[in-house]
């Protein structure tokens, strides 16, 4: 290595990272190579739903790795079948395609909708997505997203996406034309700062899309797998989407996503969709183990209860320190600050051994492990109180 290169210089620069190397994690705690511990309320961006290195995952990896890691997607494997069965049995949807991440699941949803439009809607291919949406970083999912600063990046974008205001049903109704094949949304927009879609809007969308023969695609990459206190956030709204995408928590930290769709919409044929690692035996075995743990109704009830506890504590902090609203559901919560100092607070929290996230300059987002304890919440609140007050 040339002497002027630092130990980090073999990696492309795609994120601003502090100059520390993480080596170990257990439950709500992450440790760096210097032995410094961090109380983790980010958990890989709402991924490690059972915390760091839970026994459920260690056992699943050990058992499956000793048996079969991978055999190409040309064959069925038992973990792939088990996890697909669990997902279809727990939702209103009939078939699953496994992906490596959330963006790939959304990319698949877009492809599926376009093919369905060609077959059943005279070639309609346009998709209405929401202002401030985030659906991933492939070219098509960036085009479907509405993240500040992305408009001019990697031009030209993939055509066919039109942005509408979330919670404005009349606006969607006006925008939905004969060329529209689907409406796609996050039920709680995570990256935009934890902004929930209203019940009236989502129920209205379900009726409207059915009336107009368009698909309703819900991106549950962040809200799915128990994050909001139900297995899937659409269950809070009492609606059945045509297509749902999953990612993040689905394998508790291993790279897995899923495109899940209504039987009638599943028009892929061999060759349309796929990838070397899709449905990999090791990763779907982890997903199956995580699914069993997270889908337990007792576990989900506890997510709601501990989420309400965290929300109440954040509201107390907000009142005490003159901050603004607390929003979100379950363990996907945000505290809106009275000034644009969220990034600075995240930095100071890091220096004090607490991991937080700031999706917007005035928003702190909290996405701890779903099995976070009351004591861990109390410890986080105490540290945050010191940071907000100073
Ligand atoms: N969709 C939503 C709602 C997300 O929050 C994210 C990631 O933050 C994605 C899609 C993209 O998922 P991934 O980063 O796994 O590609």
């Amino acid at each position: 290595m040339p002497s002027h290169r630092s130990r980090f210089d073999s990696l492309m620069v795609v994120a601003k990272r502090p100059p520390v190397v993480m080596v170990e994690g257990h439950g709500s705690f992450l440790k760096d190579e210097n032995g410094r511990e961090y109380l983790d309320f980010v958990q890989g961006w709402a991924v490690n739903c059972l915390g760091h290195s839970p026994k459920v995952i260690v056992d699943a990896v050990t058992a499956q790795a000793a048996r079969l890691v991978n055999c190409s997607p040309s064959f069925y494997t038992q973990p792939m079948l088990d996890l697909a069965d669990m997902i279809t049995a727990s939702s209103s949807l009939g078939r699953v395609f496994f992906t490596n991440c959330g963006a790939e699941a959304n990319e698949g949803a877009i492809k599926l909708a376009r093919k369905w439009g060609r077959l059943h809607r005279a070639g309609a291919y346009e998709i209405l997505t929401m202002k401030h949406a985030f659906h991933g970083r492939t070219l098509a999912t960036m085009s479907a997203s509405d993240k500040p600063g992305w408009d001019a990046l990697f031009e030209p974008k993939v055509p066919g996406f039109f942005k509408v205001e979330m919670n404005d049903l009349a606006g969607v109704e006006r925008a939905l034309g004969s060329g529209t094949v689907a409406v796609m949304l996050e039920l709680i927009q995570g990256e935009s700062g934890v902004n929930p879609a209203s019940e009236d809007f989502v129920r209205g969308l379900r009726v409207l899309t059915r009336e107009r023969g368009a698909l309703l695609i819900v991106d549950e990459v962040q809200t799915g797998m128990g994050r909001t206190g139900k297995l899937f956030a659409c269950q809070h709204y009492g609606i059945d989407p045509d297509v749902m995408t999953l990612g993040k928590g689905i394998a508790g930290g291993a790279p897995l996503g899923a495109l899940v769709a209504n039987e009638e919409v599943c028009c892929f044929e061999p060759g349309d969709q796929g990838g070397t690692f899709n449905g990999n035996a090791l990763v779907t075995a982890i997903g199956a183990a995580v699914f069993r743990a997270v889908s337990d109704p007792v576990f989900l009830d506890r997510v709601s209860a501990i989420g309400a506890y965290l929300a109440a504590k954040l509201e107390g902090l907000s009142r005490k320190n003159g901050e603004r609203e607390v929003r979100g559901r379950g363990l996907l919560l945000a505290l809106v600050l009275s000034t644009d100092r969220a990034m600075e607070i995240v930095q100071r929290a890091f220096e004090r051994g607490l991991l937080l996230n700031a999706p917007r300059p005035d928003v702190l987002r909290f996405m701890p492990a779903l099995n976070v304890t009351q004591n861990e919440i109390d410890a986080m609140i105490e540290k945050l109180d010191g940071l907000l007050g100073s």
Side-chain angles (χ1 to χ4, degrees), residues 101-103 106 134-136 186 191 219 221-222 248:
C101 67
N106 285 334
F134 185 85
H135 295 298
E186 300 152 85
E191 300 306 301
D219 175 346
V221 168
Q222 190 158 148
K248 290 193 183 278

Side-chain angles (χ1 to χ4, degrees), residues 284-345:
T284 50
I286 300 172
V290 170
F291 200 100
R292 280 186 202 100
V294 170
S295 60
D296 179 344
V298 176
F299 183 91
L300 289 169
D301 283 349
R302 190 189 167 277
V303 174
S304 296
I306 199 85
Y309 180 79
L310 174 56
K313 287 280 176 181
L314 289 172
E315 270 152 18
L317 263 195
S318 180
R319 275 193 301 276
K320 182 175 168 206
N321 292 285
E323 309 298 350
R324 291 164 51 205
E325 69 170 323
V326 173
R327 60 189 181 214
R329 204 160 204 166
L331 284 171
L332 178 56
L333 294 171
L335 169 62
V336 185
L337 304 177
S338 55
T339 56
D340 284 357
R341 62 193 203 290
M343 311 287 182
E344 179 204 320
I345 288 179

Side-chain angles (χ1 to χ4, degrees), residues 32-251:
D32 71 22
E33 63 185 353
N34 302 315
R36 214 162 169 256
E37 264 200 341
Y38 304 83
L39 177 57
D40 191 353
F41 270 65
V42 178
Q43 289 286 358
W45 292 341
V47 168
N48 309 330
C49 50
L50 300 175
H52 288 285
S53 294
K55 187 172 177 330
V56 167
I57 292 186
V58 174
D59 290 349
V61 169
T62 311
Q64 188 60 40
R67 204 148 186 235
L68 175 69
V69 171
N70 181 50
C71 65
S72 102
S74 320
F75 299 105
Y76 295 117
T77 67
Q78 197 56 51
M80 167 204 275
L81 297 172
D82 289 347
L83 182 55
D85 279 349
M86 285 189 252
I87 295 172
T88 56
S90 316
S91 70
S92 59
L93 304 173
R95 285 185 189 263
V96 181
F97 167 71
F98 290 113
T99 65
N100 303 304
C101 67
E104 194 191 353
N106 285 334
E107 184 86 19
I110 293 163
K111 286 172 69 176
L112 189 66
R114 284 185 171 200
K115 176 146 192 206
W116 185 84
R118 188 168 62 72
L119 295 176
H120 303 289
R121 288 284 318 285
Y125 66 89
E126 291 164 3
I127 300 182
L128 301 182
T129 61
M130 303 296 130
K131 291 202 173 137
H132 313 295
F134 185 85
H135 295 298
R137 290 169 192 274
T138 63
L139 265 183
T141 55
M142 282 185 88
S143 308
S145 302
D146 187 37
K147 195 170 160 70
W150 275 14
D151 329 17
L153 265 183
F154 311 123
E155 292 291 281
K157 292 278 184 317
V158 175
F161 296 98
F162 297 93
K163 311 286 152 54
V164 288
E165 207 65 64
M166 193 163 79
N167 295 334
D168 175 9
L169 191 60
V172 179
E173 200 163 356
R174 280 194 300 276
L176 207 161
S178 59
T180 310
V181 74
V183 178
M184 177 172 179
L185 81 161
E186 300 152 85
L187 297 172
I188 301 177
Q189 290 188 333
E191 300 306 301
S192 84
V194 188
N195 289 298
S198 72
E199 291 204 2
D200 285 352
F201 179 65
V202 175
R203 293 211 182 113
L205 268 188
R206 182 60 286 188
V207 173
L208 179 67
T209 46
R210 280 215 174 104
E211 275 171 8
R212 303 281 188 92
L215 302 175
L216 181 61
I217 304 174
V218 295
D219 175 346
E220 293 238 25
V221 168
Q222 190 158 148
T223 54
M225 297 310 303
R227 178 60 45 191
T228 67
K230 291 208 186 279
L231 191 54
F232 308 119
C234 58
Q235 295 166 337
H236 289 292
Y237 294 86
I239 58 126
D240 293 334
D242 300 299
V243 178
M244 170 171 77
T245 55
L246 300 171
K248 290 193 183 278
I250 187 170

Side-chain angles (χ1 to χ4, degrees), residues 1-11:
M1 183 164 78
S3 58
H4 61 276
R5 280 170 73 86
S6 87
R7 65 191 288 217
F8 306 119
D9 286 352
S10 292
L11 287 170

